[in-house]
């Protein structure tokens, strides 16, 4: 092979390798965009971390804002101890260990301060999995359930008030029926306190 032919061959080979590298880079960027889009469109805060080192591998924008970072890139590569205060970091690590020790998703509720410092109630799910490289990872999903819990509490309070009113109505209906049958006196006794109320037909 002549010198000019060797140069042409080498140039073609470099061009071919360069093309493959660009294609791989394009696929990686596309995959990253897909993953980022998926995470950002999931409800609540989502993150993935290396289960053994605690290093964050990915997260969505909601979690980045909770961690007081402008974007997920500011979270990736850091640990809880490098992001949060000592007490909060220790709390997260403790929850991680509990999730890793379980063979099913670890689901729990907790009071959390949001990025603005407001008290919110979150349902957190943490589960372990093994990625394609055989690395043990931890997936976390935090859903804000503050409004759901508030509605349930209000509903429970309303239901309790309704039941109390209904019970009182039934009691007074029985009293009215008894007095209408010709009884001159009737006693309503609270069996728990032994207190009683006396009713007369002339009341």
């Amino acid at each position: 092979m002549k010198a000019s032919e060797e140069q042409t061959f080498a140039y073609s080979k470099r061009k071919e390798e360069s093309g493959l590298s660009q294609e791989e880079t394009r696929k990686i960027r596309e995959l990253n965009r897909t993953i980022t889009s998926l995470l950002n469109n999931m409800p609540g805060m989502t993150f993935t971390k290396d289960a053994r080192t605690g290093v964050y591998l990915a997260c969505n924008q909601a979690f980045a804002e909770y961690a007081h970072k402008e974007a997920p890139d500011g979270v990736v590569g850091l640990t809880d101890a490098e992001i949060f205060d000592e007490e909060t970091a220790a709390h997260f690590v403790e929850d991680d260990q509990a999730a890793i020790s379980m063979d099913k998703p670890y689901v729990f509720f907790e009071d959390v301060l949001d990025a603005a410092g407001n008290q919110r109630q979150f349902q957190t799910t943490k589960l372990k999995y093994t990625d394609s490289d055989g690395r043990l990872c931890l997936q976390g999903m935090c859903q804000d359930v503050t409004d759901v819990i508030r509605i349930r509490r209000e509903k429970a309070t309303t239901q309790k008030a309704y039941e109390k009113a209904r019970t009182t109505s039934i009691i007074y209906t029985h009293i009215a029926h008894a007095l209408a049958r010709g009884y001159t006196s009737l006693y309503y006794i609270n069996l728990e306190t032994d207190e009683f109320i006396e009713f007369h037909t002339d009341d």
Side-chain angles (χ1 to χ4, degrees), residues 45-61:
M45 300 185 294
T46 306
F47 60 85
T48 299
K49 60 171 69 172
D50 187 309
R52 302 195 188 283
T53 64
V55 172
Y56 283 92
L57 303 174
C59 73
N60 65 356
Q61 183 62 32

Side-chain angles (χ1 to χ4, degrees), residues 171 187-199:
I171 290 171
Y187 294 90
Y188 168 66
I189 302 173
N190 187 326
L191 297 178
E192 294 180 358
T193 63
D194 288 334
E195 295 178 345
F196 68 90
I197 301 174
E198 182 179 3
F199 296 90

Side-chain angles (χ1 to χ4, degrees), residues 41-118:
N41 283 285
M42 291 182 71
M45 300 185 294
T46 306
F47 60 85
T48 299
K49 60 171 69 172
D50 187 309
R52 302 195 188 283
T53 64
V55 172
Y56 283 92
L57 303 174
C59 73
N60 65 356
Q61 183 62 32
F63 186 82
E65 292 173 1
Y66 171 70
H68 300 289
K69 303 294 182 182
E70 291 184 5
D73 289 346
V75 174
V76 175
L78 301 178
T79 63
D80 288 317
E82 294 171 309
I83 300 173
F84 304 102
D85 61 81
E86 185 177 348
E87 183 179 351
T88 301
H91 172 67
F92 288 163
V93 171
E94 183 180 346
D95 290 337
D96 290 351
Q97 294 304 314
I100 293 170
S101 68
M102 300 174 69
D103 293 326
K104 59 182 180 179
Y106 177 37
V107 183
F108 57 95
F109 293 85
E110 58 184 339
D111 293 330
V112 176
L113 293 177
D114 63 15
N118 301 311

Side-chain angles (χ1 to χ4, degrees), residues 80-156:
D80 288 317
E82 294 171 309
I83 300 173
F84 304 102
D85 61 81
E86 185 177 348
E87 183 179 351
T88 301
H91 172 67
F92 288 163
V93 171
E94 183 180 346
D95 290 337
D96 290 351
Q97 294 304 314
I100 293 170
S101 68
M102 300 174 69
D103 293 326
K104 59 182 180 179
Y106 177 37
V107 183
F108 57 95
F109 293 85
E110 58 184 339
D111 293 330
V112 176
L113 293 177
D114 63 15
N118 301 311
Q119 186 81 19
R120 310 291 291 177
Q121 285 77 46
F122 276 77
Q123 175 183 315
T124 299
T125 302
K126 290 187 176 183
L127 61 122
K128 63 182 178 182
Y129 70 95
T130 303
D131 68 8
S132 58
D133 295 325
R135 176 174 50 185
L136 183 64
C137 299
L138 194 66
Q139 176 76 39
M141 293 162 284
C142 307
Q143 180 70 37
D144 189 338
V145 293
T146 305
D147 293 335
V148 174
I149 291 176
R150 177 182 56 78
I151 292 171
R152 285 179 180 174
R153 286 174 179 168
E154 289 176 354
K155 183 178 179 181

